Amino acid sequence: MAADINIVVLFGGRSGEHEVSRSSAAYVIDTLKKCEEYRILPVGITREGRWYAYSGNTEAMRQDTWLDEGPVHPASLVPDTAKHYLFVSREGQTVSYPVDLVFPVLHGPNGEDGTIQGMLELAGLPFVGCGMASSALAMDKTEDKKAKKRI
């Protein structure tokens, strides 16, 4: 049976929770691979913000060797409602993969604060999780000065 649904799994990212994201995404990818209906397209985001399509094993994601072991290729999603594709640069050519769903497994700032959700909403790409506004509100933790507690 051929894969019917193309899922981009985003991991890593520019946050202090980069490691947690890699580990969580490895678990998500391993779980999704059990279903033959899904074609998984892992995309790692470096701590510097570079995006790479990754087609290696999930253990390298957990060990933080995915970028060195690869294979990796520069990749991007475009915030254009007419282009629901993952664009991957390989050997001087750009290959496009249709995207049916994005699964952002990103933690902390630039991941669960509405940033990536806003880009995906702008592009009209379906994604897993809360939308931009609810993600931003949930990350905006303030301190209650009277109770001296985090709310």
Side-chain angles (χ1 to χ4, degrees):
M1 177 185 225
D4 297 328
I5 300 170
N6 296 317
I7 302 175
V8 170
V9 176
L10 297 175
F11 68 90
R14 295 173 41 210
S15 104
E17 298 185 51
H18 182 94
E19 293 79 14
V20 176
S21 171
R22 288 192 332 266
S23 178
S24 298
Y27 176 80
V28 168
I29 290 167
D30 288 342
T31 302
L32 290 173
K33 281 184 178 178
K34 294 176 184 176
C35 183
E36 294 177 7
E37 295 172 3
Y38 302 141
R39 176 192 220 182
I40 311 305
L41 305 165
V43 174
I45 304 172
T46 68
R47 287 176 178 86
E48 298 76 33
R50 304 284 314 263
W51 291 40
Y52 292 98
Y54 172 67
S55 54
N57 66 60
T58 53
E59 190 56 34
M61 291 168 58
R62 288 181 180 92
Q63 299 301 320
D64 198 18
T65 57
W66 67 276
L67 194 55
D68 298 324
E69 291 181 22
V72 295
H73 300 282
S76 62
L77 291 171
V78 179
D80 183 330
T81 59
K83 297 178 183 172
H84 289 177
Y85 293 97
L86 174 67
F87 295 101
V88 179
S89 298
R90 284 194 182 144
E91 299 165 10
Q93 296 185 349
T94 300
V95 179
S96 59
Y97 298 93
V99 176
D100 297 306
L101 179 75
V102 177
F103 198 139
V105 189
L106 301 168
H107 298 289
N110 300 307
E112 57 184 334
D113 62 354
T115 306
I116 196 76
Q117 294 82 357
M119 186 197 87
L120 297 171
E121 286 179 6
L122 182 66
L125 280 164
F127 62 93
V128 173
C130 298
M132 181 189 72
S134 55
S135 295
L137 289 170
M139 279 293 291
D140 187 19
K141 298 173 177 82
T142 61
E143 191 173 309
D144 180 345
K145 305 245 189 243
K146 292 179 184 172
K148 302 233 189 254
K149 291 182 181 179
R150 302 240 346 141
I151 56 170

